[in-house]
Amino acid sequence: MRYASTILYVPDVNAAVEFYSRAFGLEPGFVDPSDTYATLGGDGATLAFTTHDNAPDTERTTDPPAGFEVWVEADDVPAASPGLSMRAPVR
């Protein structure tokens, strides 16, 4: 299993990109032409920003959605995470 990125749900993607790139020296990455999704990169990881409207309805357990999402990738999820639930409970 490998860490892929963290996605922050924000009201203003451009403002978040500007703040985090100045604060942490992260390099600009992908920017969606609609200004509703963008990434910054540094040290092999990605910090992504998207609007609350982009949260998948199937994952939404709060309104508005949670403020962030940690994304990990694995070629074989069951083998990489024995005993772990695919969804952590929201408390």
Side-chain angles (χ1 to χ4, degrees):
M1 190 166 15
R2 61 196 166 278
Y3 168 79
S5 67
T6 299
I7 302 170
L8 300 179
Y9 293 96
V10 297
D12 184 331
V13 170
N14 290 325
V17 166
E18 183 178 331
F19 171 79
Y20 281 90
S21 62
R22 279 188 292 126
F24 299 106
L26 299 173
E27 295 295 322
F30 175 79
V31 177
D32 186 89
S34 67
D35 291 332
T36 60
Y37 181 85
T39 65
L40 294 172
D43 272 344
T46 300
L47 180 58
F49 305 92
T50 192
T51 61
H52 291 287
D53 292 338
N54 281 342
D57 289 336
T58 58
E59 299 296 322
R60 188 176 271 189
T61 57
T62 61
D63 193 21
F68 69 95
E69 173 181 332
V70 176
W71 186 352
V72 294
E73 297 177 342
D75 295 327
D76 183 351
V77 173
S81 59
L84 296 179
S85 170
M86 295 305 293
R87 270 184 79 172
V90 176
R91 300 184 202 275

